[in-house]
Amino acid sequence: MKITCFLNKENNNLDLIRILLACIVILGHTIALNGITPYWTDPVSLFFPVTYSGALAVKLFFFISGLVVTNSHLKNDSFVYFAISRLFRILPALLFLLLITVFLIGPTITNISISEYFSDYNNYKYIIKNIYFKTQYILTGVFNNNLYKDAVNGSLWSLNYEIKCYIALMCTFLLIKNKRTFFFNISFAALFMVSVFPSNFILSRLSNNPEIYYLPISFAYGVFLAINQNKSIMNLPLVLLSFFVYFLFRGHQAEELFLIVAFCNLIIFISSREFILKFKPKYDISYGIYLWGFLIQQIVYFCFGTIYAGLHFIAAVSISITIAYISFIYIEKPSILIGKQILAFYNSKNIKKIKFKSSVF
């Protein structure tokens, strides 16, 4: 199937894939947040020791984001549309999460007095910094006795890098208005080569966290396929070839990079299968699951301590899906509608200006 056909919403089930990836992120955090228990292991690290479920799922999220967001911009070709649609998709659900965390969950769980908690300015900074994507992890006295003490919600870190990818994409579109395909392909090739270099000596400057090294290339691969959608295809032989290349590079420094590419190709192929298309979810609640998953896992451990990891995972996923559904219906969906109304108003104003100018001349 050509990528241009795949990107027609009726020809893919990326919403389901994103929901599954959000649940896989929770799966990947289970051992760290619940503790090791018998008869439980991370399925991705079992077969691909170079990574684990959560890390791989986040990179696939970035790939899908690059693919879908670039395709959306190519259709609309408006920076205003891009900015407003992204802000109204990301910020309202994030703000809802932060307010509930600070004003409801925090004071309920903290091991200090309520007056001390609310008099600590750092707890209010948790909202301010995270809404600006300057990740703050700690609330005073919250989860201090959990296994993972250093983060109330460790999933928030990736939002900062996703926003940076959006900004980089828009800046690139702005700088190279003409010959986009040529310059994007050159840029992607350069980024890919940099990602293959030993020790990631350039990409490692992004962060000391090695999980961040491959976020830009994951996003960029999605951009690359969207830019070249009229010429690119994805089929079973190409998926098998990409996994064959990965196996050739096992033990190489760039092993994870080729694994990411192989899984990106795999999810395009799988999500376009006819039998997968039959299971399209009514709502894309993946963002809500991702936002709430880590926090819910911390709460599950706070309430029950170390339990069987599978039970911890099932409890966390069930609660996260429920909250994500509520968040989508009452926060995300209305916010997306408001964003569309603002864009419609903006477009109507521009049309009036164009008509006025044409009538003057």
Side-chain angles (χ1 to χ4, degrees), residues 160-175:
N160 174 276
Y161 294 96
E162 186 168 1
I163 294 300
K164 287 178 179 177
C165 285
Y166 291 157
I167 294 172
L169 178 65
M170 287 301 97
C171 289
T172 307
F173 268 118
L174 190 62
L175 290 172

Side-chain angles (χ1 to χ4, degrees), residues 6 13 17 239 265-277:
F6 169 81
N13 198 351
I17 296 297
V239 172
N265 295 342
L266 179 63
I267 62 175
I268 287 181
F269 179 76
I270 289 177
S271 66
S272 61
R273 298 304 91 197
E274 188 174 342
F275 74 96
I276 295 294
L277 293 175

